[in-house]
Amino acid sequence: MPAIRIKRIYEPPAARDGLRILVDRVWPRGVSKQKAALDAWHKDVAPSTELRKWFGHKPERWAEFRNLYRRELKTNPALEELQTFIKGRHATLIFSAHDEERNQAVVLAEVLRGQRGG
């Protein structure tokens, strides 16, 4: 079964990454396109600008952010485009947030794996 992983863009690419897909709405600072080694940039699957700014990576807002982002994804056609793009292949969702446990890639990976959020 194909794996869905997540990884910070500042970590070096690896063979096990499979497809490398940036899922941030904004290009990460200080990273060249060559160094990023991406197969795609699906910025439209990222949280809306309003939700991203509201969350601000504040841990106390994580649970609500997770629910609100999942709600956005239910009506976002970019999710289906991403699912089609990665179908049957290993993929790594690339993100730039400092917090590796509380970011949109965590939520998106859960959705792609068919997991319910906690």
Side-chain angles (χ1 to χ4, degrees):
M1 179 171 208
I4 304 288
R5 297 182 181 89
I6 65 169
K7 186 176 196 178
R8 287 191 76 222
I9 195 157
Y10 305 105
E11 296 176 44
R16 69 176 282 194
D17 289 347
L19 293 173
R20 290 176 50 85
I21 305 159
L22 180 62
V23 294
D24 285 355
R25 190 166 295 276
V26 179
W27 188 266
R29 288 183 182 162
V31 178
S32 69
K33 290 186 179 185
Q34 182 179 3
K35 186 175 180 182
L38 299 173
D39 294 293
W41 180 15
H42 282 259
K43 62 183 169 183
D44 292 335
V45 78
S48 65
T49 299
E50 298 78 18
L51 181 56
R52 180 178 55 83
K53 287 182 177 182
W54 170 83
F55 175 42
H57 296 282
K58 295 180 180 173
E60 65 272 15
R61 293 184 177 172
W62 170 242
E64 189 171 358
F65 169 79
R66 180 185 240 161
N67 291 333
L68 292 171
Y69 182 37
R70 282 175 164 272
R71 192 174 306 152
E72 280 189 357
L73 286 171
K74 285 182 182 179
T75 59
N76 186 344
L79 176 61
E80 188 174 335
E81 292 169 17
L82 178 59
Q83 289 170 317
T84 299
F85 182 71
I86 65 174
K87 188 173 186 173
R89 301 190 277 180
H90 294 294
T92 300
L93 306 179
I94 306 296
F95 66 96
S96 62
H98 293 287
D99 189 334
E100 296 184 35
E101 295 176 14
R102 291 178 291 267
N103 64 70
Q104 79 275 5
V106 170
V107 179
L108 186 54
E110 290 172 350
V111 169
L112 291 170
R113 293 176 192 135
Q115 298 173 334
R116 297 188 53 131

